[in-house]
Every structure is written in C-alpha cells, then in structure tokens.
Amino acid sequence: MAKKLNLRDKYALMTRDLSWDPSYQPFEKLFPQMEMEGIKIDDWSKWEDPFRLTMDAYWKYQAEKERKLYSIIDAFAQNNAHLNVTDARYVNAIKLFLTGVSPLEYQAHRGFAMVGRQFPGVGAQVACQMQSVDELRHVQTQIHTMSHYNKYFNGFHDWSHMHDRVWYLSVPKSFFDDAMTAGPFEFITAISFSFEYVLTNLLFMPFMSGAAYNGDMATVTFGFSAQSDESRHMTLGLEVIKFMLEAHPDNLPIIQGWIDKWFWRGYRLLSLVSMMMDYMLPKRVMSWKEAWDMYFVQNGGALFEDLARYGVRMPKHWEVSVKEADRLSHETWNVFYNYGHAAAFNSWMPSEEEMEWLSAKYPETFDKYYRPRFTFFRNLEEQGKPFSNPTLPMLCQTCQVPMFYTEPDDPTTVCFRASEYKGDHYHFCSDGCKDIFDNEPEKYVQSWLPVHQIYQGNCGGATVPEVLEWYHLVDGADNAKYPFSPDYENWKKWKGQVAKEDDAA
Amino acid sequence: MSNTTPAGYEGTPLDKVENFHGNQLIYLDWEKHRMFCSPICVPVPPDAPFGIVCDDITPNAYGEHPDWQHIDWSEVQWTLDDEPFQPDMDKSLKDQGIHHKSVLRFYQPGLDGLEGTGG
C-alpha cells in the first residue's frame, strides 16, 4: 500500500504542483489581461494561501454542509415553518434578497472563474476556483431555501428575469457588471477586498440576524452554511490586497483608486440594506446607523489603520457616509414607498410603535424630517387611497439609484452633481459617483438607466401596466402596498386558521 | 485615481437625444418637498412652450402635496442647470437654453413642505 502523504506534501502536490511553464505559447498570449491594468507582479510564488485547502478536502467539507442544510430545509417545509415568521411583512426582505443578492452570487461565480483563468499564479488560480464553486453553491442553496416561500407568497416567481429588468435591480446588477467588465485585478479588489472584506458584514449580518430574529430558520441555515465560505473569501480579499501592494510600489496608486471607487459603489448598493434593517424587519436587530458605526467606522477604521503601513488610506468620501447614516434608510424607504407600484415587493408605512423605535434610534433626524411625511402617507393609507408617485425618477448615471440623496450638510436639499462629456450632460447623486464617472467616462456613458430606457421605448411600452408586464410583475399582488396586498390577506387567514387548530388541540 | 479603460476604447452613449423619438429629457425638482423622494425625469418636445412645465407636468407630479394649492408662479424662484433663471412661459424650452438633460429646480419662499420640515 502506498505511503499516506503528510499534509505539507499533499498541499504542494494538489496546488502548486498543478502549475507548469508554457513551452508552445508565449506567456503573454496565455494570460492576455495581465498587463492592461498596470499592476506589476514579479513573483507569483509569493502568493500565500491562508487556508491551505485542497480540492479533495474542499468537496468533503462542502458535502457535509449540504447534507445538514437540506435536512433542515426539508424539516422547514414539512412543518409549514413559514407560518412561524414574525409577520408576512418580513417575507419582503427575503424577496429583496432573492431578486437583488442571489443573482450576484451567480455573477460572483462567473467572475471568479474568469479571474482564476486570467491569473498566472497557481495559488491564485486554486483560491479563485474554490470561491467560484462556493458562489455557485450559495446561489443554489438560496434558491432552494427560498423556493418554499414561493409556494405561499407573491413576488418570488421570476427573480432572475426581474434582476435583469426591474428598475432598482439595475443597482446591484450594474454594480457587478461594472466589476465583471474591469480587468482581473480590479475585479478581485472590488469583490474580494472592498465588498467581501470591508462591507460584507453589512450585507450578510443584517439578513441573517434579521432572519433569526424574525423566525426564519431556513434562511438562518443557509447563512450558517455560507459562513465558513465567507470567512475564506474575506481572508482571500485581504491577502490579495497585501500581495499586490507588496509586489511593487507602483501598484499603490492604482489600488487606492480602486478602493475609493469600490467603497463608494458598495456603499451606495447598501442603501437597500439600510432600509431593510430599519423598515422591513418586523423585529429589528439594530439600526443601520449602529451597524455602520460598528462595522464600517470602527472595524473598517481599524483595518485601514493596519493597511496604513502600505500607504493605503481610508476610502475617499467615507466621511459623507457617516453624515448620511442618520438619513439613509429613511430616504431609501421613501423611494420604495413612492414607487412601490413598480417594485417586486410590498411596501408599507411604519406603525406608531415602529415610529417610536425610529425616533429613539435617530433622535437627530426622524421626528424632524421623516415622521411628518410618513404620517401624511399613513393617513392617506387609512383613508384607503395610498400615495403613489405618478412620475418616473431621475437616476444617477453611475450607481443608477434614484437621485434621492441629500446634500451632506443639508437633509432637505437634493445633492446634484453633473459633468459634461463630449457635448452630453451626465448627472450624479454624489461627489463619489461623479469621481467614478470622470475617471472612466467611456465606460459609464453606456449605463443602461431604466428610466431612460422606458422613455426610449425599450421596456415593453410607455405605460406603467406595460412596463410591469415586461418586468413579469403581477399588478395588484407583487407590487401592492402591504395593507392592500394578497400576502396580507392570506396571512390573516392562515394565522386565524392556526389559532383555531391550537384551540381545538 | 487611475483610469484603466484601455487607451482608444470608446463607449456608445445610450442616452443621446436622438434616441428619444423627437423628445428631450428634462429633470425637475420642487425644492423643500422631499415627500416626493427624487427629482423627476420627463420627456418633452424641445419646441414646446415653457408653459407645459407649469400647466401640465408639475400639477400632475406634485398636485397631491398640501402645499400645491399655494403655488404662485409669480413668486417661484427657478434655477436652470445651477444658474438663476427667469422662464418665459410662451417661449420654447429650446429657445431659452433648456437642453437635453437640463435640470430645472424651483422653490417658492414660504412653501417649505409638510409642517415646514422640507418634506
């Protein structure tokens, strides 16, 4: 019998030993994207793999996690556990996740397969391959978990179609399209470092803790199942940055530029999470402001202090994110209430009790700016004629979010920024988004802005019903204000039923 | 910040005025009325008189606000692309410098939104 390999030998054989030097083709032809971004790497063997994971061990761990996950999903379905969530409003957070986040997992799968092919170092290739498979696993497990909700609630039926078409989903879609159309070094800085390392706690934590607080054990389970992968991804993100910075001093200004850009793009994307935390969870975990302070200002601040020895500084415009923390979720939710009739989930106004919570968490701003407008909306709802904005919003050319953000020092005035390029005019929600455009205008003049596309006649027609049909949204169900939605009607019936059964027992 | 778009690469702008079937886009914002979450985007014929903004577009967009009944166009202050602006109701949009993707913002002193909160 052959002698069993020790771990070190096995690791070497199953990773570094997979590499070879090309002899029929020149190196540049095999790895054509290595030069285009200006990043200089002289020695790929310096790449460190913090986890020393080989493919055989990887399959074993992942298979074990799959078995656990699917047994819990089965139990969840058999016990009708969707009836145990706090209330049916909660399910809208999951609709947002399925349409806005799960497709990004699939994009990440494609992106890491792509950059794994482009990087010449075998350590980087193996790490990217594993992450690529992880991301495919994440999107699959999320679809399987959430498919249970599709049997009982509206808005889950055509998420990938919606991701490609629905106006606000162009925000996450364009975020990833931007990364995928960059070079491999920018992609990995954008996704592994800026998003997975710096900001992922602000995406995963709110959804997974939110699920736990609101009785959604299925979602909690896929969160746990992804967690060990996520920690591997975060470590990869940090290693990548250090590897590039240590490889050559010329890399620093390029990388700092990407950190600035992708911090801002990621932060704008997280506007959706801010409203989810403060408005969509019937039982709240913490406020957006508390989360931003803990995960970005404190933890992120400490990270950038560590990175200072490489010459890296905090991302440009981070101070603006702190000024906006008191208003981000309120302004974002207002957008989804204004245009709820074109959204793939139900929107609503907070109850009096919820307004008290918001007021306590946002003592500087909630009562002063947001309570009056939300009370006005709630009164209209109570009269049976909920408000819908009859127009289409102006969008930012870069992040594609409606231009709702207010001036950093004035929460009542919209922040307008503009650039002129080759005789055309472009508009932005912030200095951060303007900087990104001004640095690569040829890229962002191509933004597919949903509102402009509707007016060009590319979205099924000129009227709202035609556009909703093109989105595959079921009018009156998927997009209704919650108190007028079939989900709410069903929920009341089901819970009434459950109460009767309990009484009988 | 570095620009890593390859040299010589040219994108195709998606929102040239030619793509809007004879219309141009204008953006409008009623200041201090953030109940309407964002500025709005409206396609308009460039030869239309400015009057359509006051008579058709804004009443449809903003009519549900309790302040709307107090709008007095003679009191309203305008900016066009960040410059102070005095519209002529009868002249065309084009003839008073309102181009494709111009931003028009208006504010009437005293009308500061719900309970004066800018909402």
Side-chain angles (χ1 to χ4, degrees), chain A residues 257 334 338 368 377 390-392 394 403 412-414 416 424-425 427 439-440 442 445-446 452 455-456, chain B residues 1 3 5 9-11 13-16 20-21 27 32 34-35 39-41 60 99 101 103 105 117:
Chain A
N334 191 27
N338 267 247
K368 191 170 172 191
F377 287 151
T391 66
L392 300 183
M394 175 183 189
M403 295 263 301
T412 64
T413 300
V414 170
F416 284 93
D424 277 308
H425 299 265
H427 299 276
N439 279 306
E440 286 185 276
E442 292 293 343
V445 297
Q446 303 171 69
H452 294 179
Y455 287 142
Q456 289 183 29
Chain B
M1 182 170 145
N3 176 349
T5 305
Y9 175 84
E10 280 189 38
L14 289 198
D15 296 323
K16 301 289 271 186
F20 291 89
H21 314 288
Y27 304 114
K32 306 294 173 198
R34 299 271 57 81
M35 178 186 119
I40 62 172
C41 173
N60 171 55
H99 54 67
K101 301 211 267 177
V103 177
R105 303 165 74 174
T117 60

Side-chain angles (χ1 to χ4, degrees), chain B:
Chain B
M1 182 170 145
S2 66
N3 176 349
T4 50
T5 305
Y9 175 84
E10 280 189 38
T12 305
L14 289 198
D15 296 323
K16 301 289 271 186
V17 69
E18 308 80 275
N19 299 350
F20 291 89
H21 314 288
N23 287 325
Q24 66 177 35
L25 299 181
I26 57 169
Y27 304 114
L28 277 163
D29 186 46
W30 185 16
E31 297 200 55
K32 306 294 173 198
H33 290 82
R34 299 271 57 81
M35 178 186 119
F36 305 101
C37 55
S38 317
I40 62 172
C41 173
V42 194
V44 287
D47 293 324
F50 192 92
I52 66 160
V53 172
C54 300
D55 300 336
D56 297 331
I57 298 170
T58 51
N60 171 55
Y62 301 122
E64 281 204 64
H65 199 288
D67 276 353
W68 187 255
Q69 57 183 312
H70 305 299
I71 271 281
D72 174 354
W73 292 115
S74 67
E75 296 284 312
V76 166
Q77 302 164 354
W78 293 86
T79 63
L80 169 62
D81 296 317
D82 275 339
E83 299 293 329
F85 176 65
Q86 193 54 54
D88 180 331
M89 294 293 156
D90 302 321
K91 256 169 80 175
S92 76
L93 299 169
K94 191 177 64 183
D95 289 343
Q96 47 196 318
I98 298 167
H99 54 67
H100 179 49
K101 301 211 267 177
S102 270
V103 177
L104 278 162
R105 303 165 74 174
F106 65 101
Y107 172 65
Q108 180 175 331
L111 295 188
D112 290 309
L114 300 163
E115 299 172 30
T117 60

Side-chain angles (χ1 to χ4, degrees), chain A residues 162-193:
Chain A
M162 290 178 191
H163 183 73
D164 284 342
R165 297 191 177 189
V166 177
W167 57 280
Y168 58 93
L169 296 172
S170 85
V171 176
K173 181 181 165 68
S174 71
F175 173 89
F176 237 95
D177 285 351
D178 191 348
M180 296 272 279
T181 50
F185 289 109
E186 183 178 344
F187 176 88
I188 207 158
T189 305
I191 304 305
S192 289
F193 179 72

Side-chain angles (χ1 to χ4, degrees), chain A residues 71 78 107 118 141 198 234 257-258 264 266 334-335 406 436:
Chain A
S71 63
Q78 282 167 23
Q107 290 293 72
Q118 290 299 332
T141 52
V198 183
M234 289 176 75
W258 289 335
W264 191 257
N334 191 27
V335 174
T406 44
I436 293 168

